[in-house]
Amino acid sequence: MCGVFGIWGHEEAANLTYLGLHALQHRGQESAGIVTSHQGTLYSHRQMALVADAFSAEDLAKLPGTSAIGHVRYSTAGGSYLKNAQPLFVSYQGGQLGVAHNGNLVNAQALKDELEQNGAIFQSDSDSEVLIHLIARSKAPSFHGRVVEALKRVEGAYSVLFLTQKQLIAARDPHGFRPLVLGRLRGAWVLASESCALDLIEAELVRELEPGEVVVIDDTGLSSHKPLPAPKRLGRCIFEHVYFARPDSVLFGTSVYEVRKQMGRQLAKEQPAQADLVIAVPDSGVPAAIGYSQASGIPYDVGLVRSHYVGRTFIEPQQSIRHFGVKLKLSPVRQVLRGKRVVVVDDSIVRGTTSRKIVKMLRAAGATEVHLRISSPPTKWPCYYGIDTPSRQELIAASHSTEEIARYVTADSLGYISLEGLNAAVGDPSGETYCNACFSGDYPTGIGMERKAESLQRETAAKVVNGTNEVAPPAVEPEPPAVLPLTAKRAQA
Ligand code: AMP
């Protein structure tokens, strides 16, 4: 997952991009970068850091020009190194080019193999570089033509910005996996992954780019093109609404906050609980917890507070760091929890380690019962389109029932929203315009379905090797018995 931002026609292009990236920081925290264009030359600055640390006033002053693109990254394809930080920036026979990409190209490896056989040398291991090689090799007469030729060859998810000395081009893949919005700031055009970036710089939201749309902006104005064949179905990422996007954004035409609250209301209907209060796992669980409280009539309170000085722990690539991070990030409010039966609402369970720590934390702070409610269905399948989900072996719901997961996380009860309920909450009851493959295994692209088949084959082979019908349980951290609360011991027995 990453965030992209672009601007055309503003004196303060670099500064505004810097601000836009701040608003998109939740989409990636490993690296940040800006490329600007000024009088026929591109300027670039990238760093492995949060936006606030990646650019000093001097760095920004060295990024002149009235157009810019920017990027915040966390790695889904390719390692976490500066060489993979974006915007990628190259010189080729067509001129200079900056590229900022959000999403994963599912056929990147096949294209990379083919390009390397034909002599291409890759500088990074990010899938986005494939786009640059395809553009450089295209024989199309215009840059716009080269971009379209390249996009016709790639499959998967992309919301991507290209900046040259003369043009800014924005494109969204035909499935529309990742968001991308167009805005206006006085005379300037602005592009951003989420509308919250437009709000910060006081730009007006014009519209979302349509799936498969390519927008070309230059000194003659803006033109919109639909050169890519339409797929059988759309694949807007439902997990953006569940977790990833900021609640103050308007995403895929709907308010993220309203959708999350509706998920909570639906969850309360589907998974009621006898409890004294509803609390959220902040920040992502807050709107759904409010919705749950409203629909159930159980009062909402703040039972967990979050430290805002640590990043999103899940994003840290190493498991050991993430485990430590849960304690760093969340603290219980004893005065609220003591002696209470608590419903705790979170957006998702991936490996189960976060929930397990939270349940323990709530009990240790005096909660008498902990009922865990999740505003998305069980996460059973990896994402190939840009969300950082681990392999199926690590997804606890891929191999465990809800009852087993409840036992593992030591909750008194566990309830997930249904897929139908989630589809209704995002306003797509038929589930036809969203990708919900992480919950359903129904991947909207052929390559996604192929990868699913391969992973199922591997699982079957592993079962044969183990001589059992059971899929091996996910690797779980051993629990020191001394810190287990009584109820948890009972649940485990
Ligand atoms: P886990 O401990 O693996 O079950 O992680 C679950 C927690 O991670 C939940 O509280 C989610 O809010 C968060 N989460 C789920 N998916 C992602 C993701 N792709 N990136 C970052 N955080 C996530």
Side-chain angles (χ1 to χ4, degrees):
M1 188 50 63
C2 300
V4 298
F5 184 91
I7 185 157
W8 181 271
H10 199 289
E11 289 301 321
E12 292 211 60
N15 288 344
L16 289 167
T17 304
Y18 170 79
L19 292 173
L21 292 182
H22 254 290
L24 299 174
Q25 184 77 83
H26 61 289
R27 298 183 68 86
Q29 298 155 355
E30 286 179 20
S31 69
I34 297 178
V35 168
T36 60
S37 173
H38 180 57
Q39 296 179 349
T41 305
L42 296 195
Y43 297 79
S44 155
H45 180 84
R46 301 179 302 176
Q47 191 128 350
M48 299 296 294
L50 294 173
V51 178
D53 303 322
F55 304 92
S56 64
E58 294 79 50
D59 295 330
L60 287 170
K62 286 184 203 150
L63 294 169
T66 54
S67 53
I69 57 172
H71 190 268
V72 285
R73 173 170 201 262
Y74 93 99
S75 49
T76 48
S80 175
Y81 318 109
L82 186 57
K83 66 175 180 176
N84 287 339
Q86 294 196 24
L88 300 174
F89 173 43
V90 295
S91 296
Y92 71 112
Q93 99 277 15
Q96 290 183 309
L97 171 62
V99 179
H101 169 213
N102 170 209
N104 259 14
L105 306 177
V106 284
N107 63 342
Q109 193 53 50
L111 288 170
K112 200 170 170 180
D113 292 346
E114 178 193 313
L115 287 159
E116 281 180 334
Q117 269 162 21
N118 289 319
I121 297 170
F122 280 79
Q123 290 179 1
S124 74
D125 48 10
S126 117
D127 59 336
S128 318
E129 199 184 339
V130 166
L131 286 168
I132 292 181
H133 285 273
L134 292 172
I135 288 171
R137 272 150 203 263
S138 163
K139 300 275 182 284
S142 67
F143 179 67
H144 169 208
R146 285 172 180 249
V147 167
V148 169
E149 266 194 23
L151 296 180
K152 282 186 175 159
R153 299 234 31 222
V154 297
E155 279 178 51
Y158 54 86
S159 282
V160 61
L161 304 178
F162 303 94
L163 183 69
T164 70
Q165 292 111 315
K166 293 191 185 132
Q167 277 178 331
L168 171 59
I169 295 188
R172 196 164 163 225
D173 69 76
H175 288 92
F177 284 107
R178 301 283 145 232
L180 189 60
V181 291
L182 177 70
R184 201 80 164 121
L185 179 62
R186 292 178 281 280
W189 290 108
V190 187
L191 290 140
S193 291
E194 287 182 41
S195 63
C196 63
L198 304 185
D199 293 337
L200 179 71
I201 61 165
E202 298 182 348
E204 171 203 344
L205 172 63
V206 175
R207 62 182 177 85
E208 187 171 68
L209 255 69
E210 285 175 32
E213 183 176 359
V214 177
V215 162
V216 181
I217 306 171
D218 57 25
D219 286 341
T220 64
L222 179 146
S223 59
S224 163
H225 311 261
K226 284 297 264 309
L228 306 168
K232 287 202 190 83
R233 52 172 280 205
L234 289 181
R236 302 181 295 174
C237 171
I238 208 160
F239 204 70
E240 291 267 359
H241 266 306
V242 168
Y243 171 78
F244 222 85
R246 238 170 66 164
D248 54 332
S249 285
V250 175
L251 187 97
F252 307 140
T254 328
S255 150
V256 175
Y257 181 74
E258 284 305 328
V259 164
R260 286 190 188 158
K261 225 159 70 170
Q262 185 52 32
M263 290 173 191
R265 291 191 198 107
Q266 181 68 26
L267 183 60
K269 269 191 229 147
E270 294 183 14
Q271 303 288 347
Q274 296 290 320
D276 304 310
L277 54 100
V278 175
I279 67 165
V281 178
D283 292 325
S284 49
V286 171
I290 292 173
Y292 194 102
S293 162
Q294 286 176 351
S296 64
I298 306 171
Y300 174 78
D301 213 334
V302 177
L304 285 167
V305 288
R306 176 177 168 153
S307 163
H308 289 271
Y309 305 100
V310 274
R312 277 191 170 183
T313 53
F314 189 98
I315 279 168
E316 303 290 347
Q318 281 183 18
Q319 176 101 344
S320 55
I321 299 173
R322 187 177 54 257
H323 285 189
F324 184 50
V326 176
K327 284 186 199 150
L328 265 181
K329 195 166 76 168
L330 295 171
S331 319
V333 183
R334 287 170 210 286
Q335 295 72 6
V336 170
L337 298 165
R338 197 172 296 133
K340 295 288 183 356
R341 298 171 302 164
V342 176
V343 171
V344 55
V345 180
D346 201 357
D347 63 276
S348 58
I349 297 178
V350 181
R351 298 175 179 87
T353 45
T354 307
S355 308
R356 184 176 162 99
K357 283 179 192 295
I358 289 170
V359 173
K360 281 167 46 187
M361 199 183 269
L362 297 174
R363 287 197 206 279
T368 53
E369 289 177 23
V370 180
H371 301 278
L372 181 59
R373 295 293 178 270
I374 304 295
S375 60
S376 63
T379 304
K380 293 186 177 178
W381 299 94
C383 177
Y384 304 130
Y385 309 115
I387 298 278
D388 179 25
T389 32
S391 68
R392 236 171 95 76
Q393 285 71 22
E394 290 172 81
L395 294 174
I396 192 166
S399 53
H400 291 73
S401 67
T402 300
E403 292 69 34
E404 287 169 333
I405 299 171
R407 266 205 302 283
Y408 172 63
V409 302
T410 74
D412 292 284
S413 73
L414 167 64
Y416 291 90
I417 196 173
S418 65
L419 185 56
E420 296 69 35
L422 177 63
N423 287 340
V426 299
D428 179 27
S430 65
E432 280 168 6
T433 69
Y434 275 87
C435 172
N436 50 37
C438 47
F439 309 125
S440 65
D442 182 12
Y443 292 93
T445 63
I447 293 184
M449 290 310 278
E450 279 169 32
R451 289 213 196 157
K452 175 183 172 180
E454 282 161 17
S455 114
L456 287 176
Q457 266 169 12
R458 276 196 301 276
E459 274 175 34
T460 315
K463 277 185 211 165
V464 172
V465 171
N466 291 340
T468 156
N469 274 339
E470 294 295 314
V471 177
V476 294
E477 161 208 33
E479 192 60 51
V483 298
L484 267 187
L486 273 180
T487 9
K489 271 190 195 149
R490 257 205 316 277
Q492 283 202 329

